[in-house]
Amino acid sequence: MSRRIACLLLTLTVLCSSIAIVYADEAAAQNAAYRDAVETLYDAGMTYTADTAITDKRGMALPAQLGMLEQRSVLSLSELSTQALVLQQELQLRSAAEAEREAARKAFISLYDAVLITAQSANIYEVPNTEGYVLRTIGSGKVAKLLAMEDGFYHINFGKTTGYLPIADAQGAHFADYEGTLAVIDVTEAIIDYAYTYLGTPYAYGGSSYSGTDCSGFTMRVFAEYGYSLPHGCTGQYRLCTPVTTAERQRGDLVFFTAYGAGGFEHVGIYLGGGAFIHASSSKGVIVSYLSETYYAQNYIGAARLIAG
């Protein structure tokens, strides 16, 4: 009887030893898989807080960054290692793509110092986002100085405006090829500068010169200086322009008014931005006024654009 008990105890001892050896081998393999995953993630720029992050939940940065915490099923360590390798490859591909884009930007800027507007009408944005504020609009054929490039946008300067132009609206150009031509001249600013030379000119019905001018004679003469033909009359000028909303209104647009609510177009001026406009007042001659002033606020009809850019 004692011999049977001794044999049984020996068998149990051998079995326990075998189980311990198997468990130790599995644990070693599991730890090795986890270490491989950690090292792969670390090489890819990921961070972790403890080697026991997966098991004791004290450092969950690794699974959180992999999105594992949002999954319903639990990933094994071998799956974690596989995902780490996939993530590393994705990061390497993104890095390579960004390097290619940066190389293309540098090559473009080294080749061109300007862009030629190819769109019929291109918006210049305050920030590199088409949802951002529109600083102004530039027409086809204009050439702006190229300052830099960002994803999807040229950073440009045209006249007094510096902003962002969608890449799809222009193509590379050499500024020297257009220097001295109307393509690089900011006609809007040139017209406004010329309009200021009339400040103080007395009002004269039917006039359109420094010796005396009325409102439509003033706008007619100023725009004619840069090749824009307007009739002498507010209604006729409005018909040649494209109406714009208050939100779209910008420097160089014409602003129109009625008179004491009578209806019809009775007065016109050139918008300067910030609510200001320059015009030939029947009582004061050529002056700068504001749309917020009571009379003009009550009689304002709207704005219209003659200059495409």
Side-chain angles (χ1 to χ4, degrees):
M1 186 71 176
S2 59
R3 181 178 296 177
R4 290 181 178 179
I5 293 174
C7 289
L8 178 60
L9 290 174
L10 179 60
T11 301
L12 289 173
T13 299
V14 172
L15 178 60
C16 290
S17 298
S18 299
I19 292 174
I21 292 171
V22 171
Y23 178 78
D25 290 341
E26 289 181 351
Q30 199 174 43
N31 288 336
Y34 178 71
R35 283 196 301 272
D36 289 343
V38 169
E39 290 175 1
T40 301
L41 289 169
Y42 186 79
D43 291 340
M46 307 295 277
T47 59
Y48 59 92
T49 58
D51 286 343
T52 55
I54 301 299
T55 57
D56 65 13
K57 299 183 180 180
R58 286 187 292 106
M60 301 301 290
L62 285 174
Q65 291 180 68
L66 285 172
M68 291 170 58
L69 300 183
E70 300 174 1
Q71 299 178 5
R72 294 183 179 180
S73 60
V74 178
L75 296 180
S76 67
L77 289 176
S78 61
E79 290 173 321
L80 172 62
S81 182
T82 300
Q83 283 210 8
L85 289 171
V86 171
L87 176 62
Q88 185 181 48
Q89 291 173 350
E90 290 178 350
L91 291 174
Q92 289 173 343
L93 288 174
R94 285 201 294 267
S95 178
E98 177 57 33
E100 289 181 3
R101 287 195 294 270
E102 180 61 23
R105 283 194 290 265
K106 289 181 178 179
F108 189 93
I109 292 176
S110 67
L111 183 60
Y112 300 108
D113 62 352
V115 292
L116 170 66
I117 307 300
T118 54
Q120 182 175 0
S121 182
N123 289 331
I124 307 302
Y125 297 91
E126 186 175 25
V127 295
N129 189 322
T130 54
E131 298 298 322
Y133 178 72
V134 177
L135 296 173
R136 65 172 302 173
T137 301
I138 301 180
S140 177
K142 290 296 183 180
V143 174
K145 292 181 179 179
L146 177 62
L147 305 178
M149 287 180 67
E150 296 192 19
D151 287 344
F153 288 86
Y154 296 119
H155 190 200
I156 59 100
N157 170 260
F158 185 72
K160 297 180 180 180
T161 302
T162 298
Y164 296 88
L165 169 73
I167 285 179
D169 291 342
Q171 64 184 37
H174 299 100
F175 193 82
D177 293 342
Y178 300 90
E179 198 163 9
T181 70
L182 288 177
V184 299
I185 294 177
D186 189 338
V187 176
T188 295
E189 297 304 325
I191 283 176
I192 288 174
D193 289 343
Y194 184 60
Y196 273 114
T197 68
Y198 275 81
L199 281 174
T201 298
Y203 181 86
Y205 181 77
S208 60
S209 68
Y210 286 117
S211 60
T213 182
D214 60 16
C215 65
S216 62
F218 167 64
T219 53
M220 177 185 72
R221 182 67 190 86
V222 169
F223 278 82
E225 184 72 11
Y226 290 90
Y228 292 89
S229 179
L230 287 171
H232 198 157
C234 298
T235 302
Q237 290 186 6
Y238 182 81
R239 288 174 177 170
L240 286 179
C241 298
T242 301
V244 295
T245 66
T246 297
E248 296 169 334
R249 188 178 60 206
Q250 61 186 27
R251 285 169 63 84
D253 289 341
L254 293 175
V255 285
F256 295 88
F257 307 85
T258 184
Y260 302 102
F265 297 91
E266 299 293 338
H267 192 61
V268 63
I270 302 172
Y271 189 62
L272 303 175
F277 66 102
I278 185 170
H279 63 122
S281 165
S282 60
S283 60
K284 299 179 181 179
V286 178
I287 59 172
V288 172
S289 299
Y290 291 86
L291 297 175
S292 58
E293 295 176 33
T294 302
Y295 174 80
Y296 299 112
Q298 291 177 346
N299 291 280
Y300 180 68
I301 295 177
R305 183 166 301 154
L306 182 63
I307 305 173

